[in-house]
Structures are given as structure tokens and as C-alpha cells.
Amino acid sequence: MTEHPTATWQAMQDGNAFYRRQQLYSIPGKLPDFGDYIVAGCQYGGPLALMRDNTKLLALGRLTPAAAKAQIQIYSPAGESLLSFSWDQGKIIKFGWTRDETLTVLNEEGIYRLYDLQGDYQQHSLGPEASELGIIDARIHDNGFVAMTSSLALLEVKGWEGGRPLTLANPALTQPPHAWCIIPPDLNVSRHVEVLLSVESTIYTVDNLESVDQRLSRGPFTHVSPSPNGKLLALLTFSGTLWVVSSDFQRNIAEFDASSVPEAEGNVLQVEWCGNDAIAVAWKFLVLLVGPSGDTLQYAYSGTPFAVTEMDGVRIMSPDICDLLQKVPASTSSIFRPGSTSPSAILYDAWESFSSRSPKADESIRSIRPDLAKAVDECIDAAGQEWEPQLQRKLLNAAKFGRSFLDFHNPTDFVNMGQTLKVLNAVRFYEVGIPLTYSEHNYASPSHLISRLTSRNLHLLALRISSFLSLKPDIVLKHWACAKILRDAELTADDEVCKLIVDKFEQLGGTEVSYAEIAKKAWEVGRSRLATKLLDHESRASDQVPLLLTMKEDKLALLKAVDSGDTDLVYHVLLHLHKRLPLGSFFRLIEDGGERLSSASKLLEVYAREQNREMLRDFYYSDDRRVESAILSLEEASKMNNPASKISSVKAAQKFFSEDKDRTFEAKMMEESVRLLTTQQQLDIETDGKITFFGTSVNESIRLCLVNNMAKRADKMKSDFKVPDKRFWHIKLKALTEVKAFGELETFSKSKRSPIGYEPFVRHLVEKGLPKEAVAYVARCDSPKRADLYVECGEWRLAGKECKDRGDKAKLEQLRRKCPNSMIERELDQILSTMK
């Protein structure tokens, strides 16, 4: 039969407050005596880390695994061994826990490691300066630590990513403090860490900006301990006085003479807070609980106890037992306090009466009907505060009984409490050993509890709790898969492990688990083939590809990137491979990919064309792409100004075209182009650079020769480049007109029969505003067109005379209708009258 809840209660403050001693685990012989060890306890029902204290003699017959030199042993609160590892990095200065159960171990050289419960670690350093000075002490909190160097400077490390330490304000110490502690940033208004140093008779408060002397006179202090909420401090003087003050030293809360405890043996070992309202002072074999009014409660232990402050109590570990001391929660006190007449106490009594079929139940419910909803809520809360499943069930049944008399009551709290208790009872079981309180469970998230279970390799329990709380199983499955790979590193074939992992994920709905992270773990332990197989199941190419590159699975990485359709990812792979591989191997990889890597080849071309022409040239050459190489040479030539370089590039293009039997025409054109550029270069030299021939077309070069009185050169170019007569005559006509060399134009027109006729002469001269010079050439044009050409030159009389000579009366009448003025009209009428 379960004992009454008040059996472990003890009163304080004249019966106004009660504290209880809840036995969590009985662990006879599982743990050594803590007096021979340096111990660090993790909050939130976390494990203990023990290391042999080399300053103390070890009695024969008491050697345990943790007694070996430089070895740290980790136990659960239930006394089960979780991990043991040796330390090989110099003298350990301090070790402590973070909230996620990572053990931080710091040595005198400023090197610190972060161990998980599987023994894996990450190593960081405080830097060369700290290593040179040496570390003499440190204080560790959930999200960082503060280290003290041999020069008595304080270095703060924020987070666990290995960031550079920040030097706090200089407190100007001449010797190490008698005691010191830190108040974490999340408990400070300033959101910066605050260090409290016991120096002589006072305390210095140090942060990143200043060091302040609090001007106390009651020190020095042997212990300085902040409360869990950071608002109060417990200070123990050398004379044994326990003094409780506010953390700003403005309010004196309580005092107690710890030296007057007759049962205490030796020096005080620990001063820890029990929640935020009482203080546990530990000696060998004894823990004294000091209340707010100086009231005390004594608890005896068979060995040296070790206290760990919890959010709502203090966990006491000894070689034989694990206890939780805490103030009895308000809801529990309201129900079970002797003589309580609260509605919740009456409701619980009514349910017990109902269970024993007593009519008193109905009367009790009637008496609290106005406060019944409040009584139900208190019973639900009290169930969460209890550790015995039988009592939890009774309280929930009482709440359920009360709810049946309410018209409206939200069942959410009741259902949630049932779920929470089922989870808490499962993790409190001694084989799991996480004695989490209800308040701590509410403060942390369910996913945090799942992470704690997976870190212990309790995957089945973690999976069941995830399913029970409707959480995604992804975190559990991922950790299980990584653990499976590590555990079966040499025993199971890669195909079997891969199939087992994939089947398990599909069976349990781990659709969002990243196979890439699991594959990375497989690769890290040397199972590259398994890693590659797992990556085939990864749906996100952005996760697949980086790991494949790390594994040097270059072709597969490029194929996956191309298949994803993500151009940025393809570029990432191409640039990474270009940087790491020899150029020939890089190009061969792309060429060997064939059609599947054609898009990667095109993207490489686009990138290289814009950013790296040299790489594009090499790529075309290695791929035997002569036409593209020739076009690239021509593109480069078009942007060059230096004649020699330009000719060289065109020659290179000619060479590439000549190596392709289907490109003989292009090769011939490039040869002609080189000849033209060479001729133009010579012309530039002959004219001392006053006239720019280089880079112009054949037509333009001939024109430039003609307008600059270099007729022989023009004729030679016509001959050399086989310029047709018609084109040459057009060029010369325009060039001579441009320089108004009408005499030369006349001579040229008579030099031989014009291959273009003389109409172009007339029209071009008219177009350039030279009608008088154009008239001379009209007579040489075809007779049917002369009349119109004369009109274009403004010679209407000559046009009329031409019509008369040809006897074309209709044309003359047409001209008469178009004539611009009456004078010309009369003249044309006169000519018309002479025609029959």
C-alpha cells in the first residue's frame, strides 16, 4: 500500500510551508563516495560526471573505474554507467554540463572539448594567448563559460561553436578570489554574463564593461551561489555564517549560523539552492535545508552527498540513494495539508467517499459547487507534481469525478496531463534514469526530451514517445540510423544496412529525414559505398551534391546536380571541380558524361564566355570542337586593337577551320582576311598612321586610297582581292564625288565603257546636291530615261528638247502637267506646238 503523501513532509515557517524528501532511486553500491572525486551534475534530471581528485588519498579496496588517472566516468541519477573516457590533453581545470547534456571539459592550456553521451567530441581552443598564460579556474553555464587565466583576467566564451573569447572588464586582482560564480546572461537584465568575485571582505561584480566593488565588509566568502532565477545570492563566510541577499546587494533576506549545526562534520562542501526559496548546505553525511526565515531541516546520508540545483528543488546524490528535496507545490499542499478545507481537498475527499460508496460524496460536492472548476484544476496540477503513479491516478480520477458535475469544462488540461505523466513516468524509470520534474518538463520542449533519449541510444522509447505526442519521428530515425552505421561498422554488408534504414524510414514515415546527413556519418566512418547508396534516396539535390563532392564522387555529383535542374547547383559543382581537378581531368569528366551532361557543358560555356575565356578555349580544344574554337578566336580578334594580335587571332581561326574538312570555305575566307589585314597594316605604315586602314573592309580600304590620292594602291587592291568592275566603279564614283574631283571623274567615265552605265553617275551627283555636274552624264544614258534624268537635274528645257528629238509627244505633255511654274509651262507649250 502506498504511504500517505504527507509522510515525507516537514514543516517550516511555523507550519506555513512544507518541504518534502522524495526518494527517486535506491542505488546501493552503484556509486563511489563523492568525497574522493571532483563531481559535476547536470540539471533537469541529467547525469553526473566524476573524476578522481588527485589531491586526496584513495583507500584500498575502494577503487572504481573512475579512479584511474585522467579518466572521467558518467553516471545516470539511477547509478547506471553511461560513459567512461580517458583524458589525454593535459591537466583538467574544470568540467561541467550544458543544458543539452553535453559535457564541457577545459584544461590548463585553454583547450576545451564538448563530449556527448556516446563519447564523441568537438575540440576548440581559447587561443594562443590563453594557452601561453594558462587557465587556473572556470565556471560553466548552459550556453558558455568564463575562464580565469593565471594573470587573473576573465575570458568569456559565448556559445559552443568555438568562437573567439571575449575579455571581460579587468577587476585588478592581485591574487585568486576566495570563491566566485557567474550569473548567466539569460538571468541578467543586461543580457550579459555577470561574474561575482569574493575578494578580501567584499565582492566584485564584473561584466564586459566594468568591474564594481560592492563595498561589503562581511567577507571573505567561501561559497557564492546564485539562485536559479538569478535574483538572490547565498554567501557563506569563513566564520560559517550563511547570508542571503538580493543579487544587487540592496536587500538583506536572511542569515543563519551554519557553524552551530552540531551534527555537521568538517567544512561545508556545497551551498546550493533548493528552487528559489531555500538553500541546501552540504557537509559529509549531512544536508541542511535553510528556509527563508532561517528555519532548518536536516537530512542524513550514509556517505558524502552531492547536490544539484533544479528549477523547483535540489537533487541530492549519495552512494546509496538519489533524493529530490523540494517545497511542496501549492496544489499538492492545498489537497493534502493536514486539516485543509480547500475545495480541492474536499473534492479529493469526495472522490474517496464515492470510491468507498459513501453518501458523503454528494454532500461534499454540493458544498464546493461554486469552486468546483478550480478544485478540478488543482487536482490535475497536483497529479503532475507527484512521482507515484498510483497517487497520480487517484488525483486524476478525483479531477475526472469533479468534471462530471460541471456543465462546461475544457478537457484539454486533463488530457495533456495524462499524456505528460505517461511520458514522465517512462523517462523516470531507473533503466532510463531521467528524473525530470513536471515544472522542468513544461520549461523544456518535448523535442528536447526526445533528443536526450536519443543521445542515450534509447531510440525505441524516443520513437514511442514521439508517436504518443504526435511528433515527427525524423530526429529519432536519423540518430538511430547514424548509431546503426557506427555500431555495425564491420559486421553488416552495405546493401543490408541501406535496405534496413530505408525500409525503417518508409515504415515509420520518416519522409523528411535527410539521407545526406546519415550518408555523411557513413562516409566519416569509412563506408563510402554505403554513403553513396544512401544518397541515392536523398530527394533534395542541394543536400546530396555537397556530400558527393566531399566524397570525391565527382561525376555522380555533377549528374545529380544536372538532374535537379538547379543551374546554381550545377555551377557550384563545376566551379568546385574546376578548382580541384587538373584541367584535362575536369574536361574529360564532362565529355565522358555524354548527353546526360550536355546541359552542364552548355552552362560551362556560358560561364566561361563571360568570366574565363582561357578556360573556354581549353575546353573547346580538349573537346576537339574546331569550329567553336575558330569562332572564339574571331570574337577575340573583333575586340582587339593591336594589329599583330588581331592578325594572330585570325590566323588561329584559319587554322581551326582548315582542320575541319567541311569548313574549307571558312578557312579560305580567313586566309583572305589575314591577307587584307596585312595589306592594311602596310598601308597604315606607309601613311605614318595618319589614315587608319587597319580593320576596315576591302571596299572601305579602296575608298580611303582614292580619297587620299592613292589611285595606284586602289587599283592594286582591286586586282589583289579580285574586286568586280561594277563594285569598283561604284566605289570610285562615290570617292571622287566625295572629294569633288570632277575632272578625274570625267576622265574616269571616259576611260572605258562603264560597266554600271551612266545613270548611277547622274543619280549619285544629284543625290549629293550637284545637278549641274550631273547634266553632263545624262546624254550618255539610255534615251528613254534621259527626259526624267534631265528633270531630276532641274533641266526642264533639255527634257522637253529630248522629248521633241525622240518625237515623244505624250511624254512632253506629261512633263508639262508636272512643271513647277508657268514660265517653264510656256516654254514646253512652245516646244509642243512645233510638234505635229
Side-chain angles (χ1 to χ4, degrees):
M1 182 177 177
T2 305
E3 64 181 8
H4 194 272
T6 59
T8 58
W9 292 16
Q10 289 181 274
M12 267 194 186
Q13 302 175 23
D14 300 326
N16 292 322
F18 293 89
Y19 285 79
R20 66 183 178 186
R21 177 184 186 179
Q22 182 75 47
Q23 181 179 324
L24 304 180
Y25 305 106
S26 176
I27 47 176
K30 289 188 175 183
L31 294 175
D33 189 279
F34 298 133
D36 299 325
Y37 294 86
I38 300 169
V39 188
C42 182
Q43 292 184 319
Y44 302 94
L48 290 182
L50 285 74
M51 185 182 75
R52 172 84 174 89
D53 187 349
N54 293 322
T55 63
K56 297 181 180 179
L57 296 174
L58 184 64
L60 292 175
R62 291 176 58 195
L63 188 67
T64 70
K69 186 180 178 182
Q71 189 178 50
I72 294 179
Q73 188 84 1
I74 298 177
Y75 293 94
S76 76
E80 302 295 325
S81 178
L82 298 178
L83 176 67
S84 176
F85 62 88
S86 297
W87 178 263
D88 56 357
Q89 290 287 322
K91 181 184 176 184
I92 293 177
I93 295 300
K94 195 74 176 178
F95 56 91
W97 295 91
T98 67
R99 186 179 162 200
D100 59 358
E101 295 188 324
T102 299
L103 182 66
T104 305
V105 185
L106 173 68
N107 76 358
E108 60 187 349
E109 296 172 357
I111 294 172
Y112 61 99
R113 286 180 178 176
L114 308 171
Y115 285 89
D116 63 20
L117 293 179
Q118 301 305 311
D120 298 327
Y121 65 85
Q122 295 176 329
Q123 181 167 304
H124 304 292
S125 172
L126 293 177
E129 188 177 345
S131 177
E132 185 178 334
L133 289 171
I135 305 298
I136 61 170
D137 203 358
R139 295 292 182 269
I140 298 168
H141 62 91
D142 282 348
N143 199 35
F145 65 90
V146 176
M148 183 180 290
T149 67
S150 60
S151 64
L152 304 181
L154 297 170
L155 303 177
E156 181 196 1
V157 172
K158 295 181 178 180
W160 302 112
E161 291 77 36
R164 188 176 178 181
L166 171 71
T167 303
L168 299 182
N170 185 6
L173 301 179
T174 56
Q175 60 183 17
H178 301 288
W180 64 294
C181 72
I182 58 175
I183 299 178
D186 54 335
L187 301 180
N188 265 327
V189 177
S190 65
R191 293 302 172 193
H192 293 291
V193 72
E194 185 173 272
V195 183
L196 305 176
L197 304 166
S198 172
V199 180
E200 296 178 353
S201 62
T202 186
I203 281 184
Y204 287 9
T205 58
V206 182
D207 58 19
N208 59 335
L209 297 176
E210 60 181 352
S211 172
V212 179
D213 183 354
Q214 297 299 330
R215 304 191 180 281
L216 307 180
S217 58
R218 304 187 62 167
F221 303 100
T222 60
H223 293 79
V224 182
S225 179
S227 62
N229 61 13
K231 294 181 179 179
L232 301 175
L233 291 175
L235 309 171
L236 187 69
T237 67
F238 269 77
S239 62
T241 301
L242 181 66
W243 181 32
V244 184
V245 293
S246 60
S247 56
D248 59 3
F249 299 94
Q250 298 302 309
R251 290 186 298 121
N252 187 3
I253 309 298
E255 287 187 36
F256 175 75
D257 185 4
S259 62
S260 64
V261 180
E263 294 84 355
E265 289 185 22
N267 296 325
V268 171
L269 301 177
Q270 279 183 282
V271 175
E272 296 290 334
W273 282 83
C274 175
N276 289 299
D277 32 42
I279 298 161
V281 183
W283 290 268
K284 192 170 185 178
F285 308 123
L286 179 69
V287 172
L288 185 74
L289 200 63
V290 182
S293 304
D295 297 355
T296 62
L297 298 173
Q298 292 187 16
Y299 300 96
Y301 289 90
S302 60
T304 304
F306 182 80
V308 181
T309 297
E310 300 286 2
M311 179 186 289
D312 54 350
V314 60
R315 180 159 42 101
I316 309 293
M317 299 288 299
S318 77
D320 298 324
I321 201 168
C322 175
D323 287 342
L324 177 68
L325 306 182
Q326 67 174 169
K327 185 178 181 181
V328 175
S331 56
T332 305
S333 177
S334 176
I335 296 171
F336 296 115
R337 187 178 67 246
S340 174
T341 57
S342 68
S344 53
I346 295 171
L347 173 59
Y348 184 79
D349 185 58
W351 174 78
E352 285 193 321
S353 299
F354 175 77
S355 300
S356 60
R357 299 181 179 276
S358 168
K360 183 184 172 186
D362 184 58
E363 182 184 337
S364 298
I365 289 293
R366 289 174 188 274
S367 67
I368 59 166
R369 192 63 186 260
D371 300 313
L372 187 55
K374 179 184 175 185
V376 169
D377 290 339
E378 275 199 340
C379 284
I380 293 172
D381 184 71
Q385 307 294 346
E386 293 301 324
W387 289 74
E388 288 295 333
Q390 191 173 343
L391 188 54
Q392 295 167 357
R393 198 173 293 111
K394 286 182 177 181
L395 286 162
L396 286 178
N397 281 333
K400 183 180 176 182
F401 177 66
R403 284 183 62 243
S404 64
F405 292 94
L406 293 171
D407 295 331
F408 301 103
H409 188 268
N410 191 339
T412 304
D413 290 344
F414 183 82
V415 173
N416 288 345
M417 182 59 76
Q419 285 186 328
T420 300
L421 288 175
K422 196 164 185 178
V423 171
L424 286 176
N425 290 337
V427 300
R428 288 169 180 171
F429 187 60
Y430 77 95
E431 289 183 353
V432 180
I434 303 179
L436 201 62
T437 68
Y438 176 65
S439 300
E440 288 172 333
H441 177 268
N442 286 346
Y443 182 75
S445 63
S447 58
H448 182 251
L449 178 58
I450 298 298
S451 297
R452 293 178 67 179
L453 292 171
T454 55
S455 69
R456 290 165 165 78
N457 280 345
L458 298 171
H459 301 109
L460 182 58
L461 177 59
L463 198 60
R464 286 174 174 169
I465 290 176
S466 297
S467 174
F468 182 66
L469 297 178
S470 302
L471 300 175
K472 291 182 179 179
D474 300 356
I475 296 173
V476 182
L477 291 174
K478 184 177 78 174
H479 194 281
W480 166 81
C482 293
K484 183 76 176 171
I485 290 167
L486 288 171
R487 192 164 53 244
D488 300 340
E490 298 177 357
L491 302 177
T492 313
D494 293 338
D495 292 340
E496 292 178 32
V497 175
C498 181
K499 186 176 185 304
L500 181 67
I501 290 172
V502 172
D503 289 348
K504 186 69 72 176
F505 283 11
E506 290 176 353
Q507 175 190 343
L508 297 172
T511 53
E512 296 182 16
V513 179
S514 172
Y515 282 95
E517 294 180 43
I518 302 163
K520 185 178 181 182
K521 180 63 71 175
W523 179 71
E524 286 172 354
V525 298
R527 303 184 71 172
S528 301
R529 186 167 174 272
L530 174 59
T532 306
K533 285 184 169 296
L534 287 168
L535 281 174
D536 286 339
H537 297 277
E538 175 57 63
S539 58
R540 293 180 286 270
S542 57
D543 290 339
Q544 260 182 332
V545 170
L547 181 57
L548 286 169
L549 289 174
T550 305
M551 295 165 57
K552 298 189 178 177
E553 294 284 349
D554 301 331
K555 185 173 181 179
L556 188 55
L558 191 52
L559 285 169
K560 294 292 184 184
V562 169
D563 292 344
S564 74
D566 185 342
T567 54
D568 289 341
L569 192 59
V570 177
Y571 276 132
H572 171 75
V573 177
L574 288 172
L575 295 176
H576 178 88
L577 296 180
H578 176 249
K579 185 177 180 181
R580 183 165 61 78
L581 295 177
L583 206 56
S585 303
F586 173 57
F587 293 144
R588 200 176 307 114
L589 176 69
I590 297 173
E591 292 160 18
D592 293 347
E595 189 62 32
R596 284 192 69 187
L597 291 182
S598 60
S599 58
S601 176
K602 291 173 184 174
L603 286 172
L604 181 63
E605 284 185 59
V606 172
Y607 167 79
R609 190 176 296 280
E610 295 295 327
Q611 304 289 337
N612 192 338
R613 289 270 177 164
E614 194 63 37
M615 179 169 66
L616 185 60
R617 188 182 296 108
D618 292 338
F619 177 56
Y620 285 155
Y621 185 80
S622 71
D623 201 19
D624 205 23
R625 292 161 70 171
R626 302 306 184 205
V627 175
E628 286 86 350
S629 296
I631 293 170
L632 181 63
S633 295
L634 289 177
E635 284 180 2
E636 291 174 349
S638 68
K639 297 174 183 176
M640 291 177 177
N641 295 319
N642 182 273
S645 301
K646 194 163 193 145
I647 291 171
S648 177
S649 288
V650 177
K651 281 182 178 178
Q654 187 269 333
K655 181 175 180 295
F656 286 126
F657 279 131
S658 67
E659 291 171 356
D660 188 334
K661 62 181 181 180
D662 296 328
R663 299 292 175 177
T664 52
F665 173 76
E666 287 86 346
K668 182 67 176 172
M669 289 301 99
M670 291 303 100
E671 191 177 328
E672 291 287 309
S673 182
V674 170
R675 201 152 55 85
L676 175 61
L677 290 171
T678 306
T679 302
Q680 290 173 337
Q681 186 182 20
Q682 185 62 35
L683 286 170
D684 280 352
I685 295 170
E686 288 178 12
T687 58
D688 295 327
K690 294 177 182 176
I691 306 168
T692 303
F693 287 91
F694 193 82
T696 60
S697 65
V698 174
N699 291 3
E700 180 63 13
S701 295
I702 293 173
R703 189 194 71 79
L704 286 171
C705 288
L706 291 170
V707 298
N708 287 286
N709 205 19
M710 299 169 69
K712 289 184 179 179
R713 269 296 197 179
D715 291 338
K716 189 173 187 314
M717 286 194 76
K718 171 185 180 298
S719 172
D720 289 346
F721 293 99
K722 299 177 183 177
V723 177
D725 280 350
K726 285 187 177 182
R727 193 196 309 169
F728 182 76
W729 273 67
H730 276 292
I731 294 169
K732 194 163 184 175
L733 164 64
K734 291 174 182 178
L736 293 176
T737 303
E738 183 182 339
V739 294
K740 294 184 169 53
F742 302 121
E744 287 184 40
L745 183 61
E746 179 69 20
T747 304
F748 171 60
S749 69
K750 293 177 179 179
S751 62
K752 68 174 185 177
R753 181 179 175 81
S754 171
I756 60 172
Y758 293 96
E759 186 179 340
F761 281 73
V762 177
R763 293 194 183 282
H764 182 67
L765 287 167
V766 170
E767 184 184 316
K768 293 298 180 182
L770 301 167
K772 291 181 180 179
E773 284 75 11
V775 172
Y777 297 97
V778 175
R780 301 186 202 177
C781 297
D782 294 340
S783 59
K785 296 181 180 179
R786 290 175 191 164
D788 287 330
L789 292 174
Y790 276 128
V791 169
E792 285 185 29
C793 294
E795 295 292 338
W796 289 85
R797 292 185 190 86
L798 292 176
K801 185 174 179 298
E802 180 64 30
C803 290
K804 181 182 177 183
D805 292 345
R806 288 178 52 230
D808 192 346
K809 189 174 182 181
K811 183 68 176 176
L812 185 59
E813 287 177 347
Q814 184 185 352
L815 291 176
R816 179 180 171 279
R817 286 194 295 273
K818 291 181 180 179
C819 62
N821 55 56
S822 56
M823 184 183 294
I824 293 173
E825 186 179 351
R826 283 197 299 273
E827 288 181 4
L828 293 179
D829 282 342
Q830 189 177 353
I831 294 171
L832 190 62
S833 64
T834 61
M835 294 180 70
K836 293 180 180 179

